[in-house]
């Protein structure tokens, strides 16, 4: 049973702090990377109160975001594993006035439940939605699930109709499939909870580009305090589903060591780093979001420019040799020196053009449904026009 709801935006959001409205904060620009010639500035941040709901489900877990320039709306994917509510995406508006968000809350227009291949909503824990993008003309959406490698549930890249109905699956290379040894150890494929966090379409819409959060098990280690991780960036023909190219993207080491355990019921020290999203600039150039986390410290969010030009094509390789030439990358923006807590940023999209002609970026953080005091935040950034001409 497919559902789609729509009400007037002013009546959508509710939460314990709703009487006071959502917190809108103008933040300092700062954090311009010294090793890149293009200026990226943080203009504004909108914070959604904890406990906010929309259409009877928690308005949270936002892990994917895409802007439709035709309509001015955004699609935001929740990473709910059908546990707090149904696996779903929202359609919302984030109007900009000048160089700031025009409203003190996102105008959520609708909620759409995603269907499994059966035509019914996903069963609990049967999916882990992470990234979403409109196809050209808004005729359909591509979205990813990380799966659950520890239980043998594969990651996937699927196409859905605007109403959330299953359309088709775009196959992933065999190397991505989780493989377990006789004793249950994961020996190949995507790591558990470190799979397809990132998805983008090239500007012409013909290619779907995914990136793994960390290396495949057989390719190398996950990122640590002392080691990088060789993730894979996969370029797929959106029409045929055939792989066109594959490259190595090196994730930087974890930024900080944990200083305290996570809250109950986890109660363990935790630190990791990975690619949480990717956004196409051109057929070859991209912006990546690298998210580092350490319990007791928090999140370190950095944006990088990266390119496939000059990188080794590893398409069809079951395992990396370590001799591949990785994608070049440069730091574009560092939230850790901007004077704001970016929180758990997992979504990025091009936003509207700003009054000075620069392009805007809109980012969203995943509140983890309130675990560890997480919050949903929307960030507005400006990017010099020259970035799209980088060579």
């Amino acid at each position: 049973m497919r559902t789609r709801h729509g009400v007037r935006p002013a009546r959508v959001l509710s939460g314990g702090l709703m009487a006071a409205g959502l917190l809108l904060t103008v933040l300092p620009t700062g954090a311009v990377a010294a090793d890149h010639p293009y200026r990226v500035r943080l203009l504004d941040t909108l914070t959604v109160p904890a406990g906010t709901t929309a259409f009877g489900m928690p308005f949270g877990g936002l892990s994917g975001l895409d802007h439709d320039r035709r309509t001015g709306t955004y699609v935001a994917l929740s990473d709910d594993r059908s546990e707090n509510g149904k696996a779903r995406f929202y359609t919302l508006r984030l109007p900009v006035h000048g160089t700031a968000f025009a409203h003190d809350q996102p105008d959520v227009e609708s909620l759409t439940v995603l269907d499994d291949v059966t035509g019914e909503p996903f069963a609990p824990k049967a999916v882990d939605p992470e990234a979403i993008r409109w196809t050209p003309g808004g005729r359909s959406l591509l979205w990813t699930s990380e799966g659950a490698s520890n239980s043998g549930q594969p990651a996937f890249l699927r196409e859905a109709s605007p109403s959330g109905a299953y359309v088709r699956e775009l196959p992933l290379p065999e190397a991505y499939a989780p493989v377990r040894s006789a004793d249950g150890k994961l020996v190949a494929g995507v790591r558990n909870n470190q799979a397809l966090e990132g998805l983008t379409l090239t500007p012409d819409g013909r290619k779907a580009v995914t990136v793994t959060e960390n290396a495949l098990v057989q390719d190398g280690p996950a990122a640590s305090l002392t080691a990088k991780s060789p993730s894979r960036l996969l370029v797929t023909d959106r029409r045929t589903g055939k792989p066109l190219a594959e490259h190595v993207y090196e994730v930087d080491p974890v930024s900080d060591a944990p200083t305290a355990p996570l809250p109950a019921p986890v109660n363990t020290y935790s630190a990791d780093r990975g690619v949480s999203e990717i956004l196409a600039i051109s057929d070859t150039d991209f912006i990546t979001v690298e998210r580092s986390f350490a319990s007791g410290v928090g999140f370190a969010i950095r944006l990088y420019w990266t390119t496939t030009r000059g990188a080794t094509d590893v398409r069809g390789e079951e395992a990396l040799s370590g001799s591949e030439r990785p994608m070049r990358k440069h730091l574009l923006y560092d939230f850790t020196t901007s004077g704001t807590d970016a929180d758990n940023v997992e979504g990025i999209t091009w936003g509207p053009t700003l009054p000075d002609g620069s392009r805007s970026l809109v980012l969203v953080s995943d509140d983890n449904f309130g675990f560890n005091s997480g919050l949903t935040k929307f960030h507005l950034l400006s990017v010099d026009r020259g970035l799209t001409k980088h060579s």
Side-chain angles (χ1 to χ4, degrees), residues 116-117 122 142-143 145 154-160 166-172 196 236-242:
D116 202 346
V117 294
F122 285 88
L142 293 183
W143 65 286
S145 170
F156 63 68
L157 170 61
R158 288 184 182 176
E159 185 172 2
Y166 172 84
V167 175
R168 62 172 177 148
E169 189 154 335
L170 280 68
L172 297 174
L196 299 185
T236 300
D237 185 300
R238 186 178 64 82
R239 183 181 63 83
T240 66
K242 293 182 178 180

Side-chain angles (χ1 to χ4, degrees), residues 100-112:
F101 290 117
H103 298 166
D104 62 356
Q105 61 181 9
D107 301 327
V108 185
E109 296 186 341
S110 63
L111 176 155
T112 303

Side-chain angles (χ1 to χ4, degrees), residues 30 49 74 96 138 184 211 226 246 268 292 294 304 317 332 340 347 368 383:
Y74 294 80
V96 171
V211 62
T226 58
E246 195 172 20
T268 59
S292 188
Y304 291 85
E317 296 293 333
L332 274 178
T340 185
N368 289 318
V383 182

Side-chain angles (χ1 to χ4, degrees), residues 204-215:
D204 61 9
R206 296 179 180 178
K207 301 171 186 175
V209 181
T210 57
V211 62
T212 58
E213 187 174 355
N214 265 218

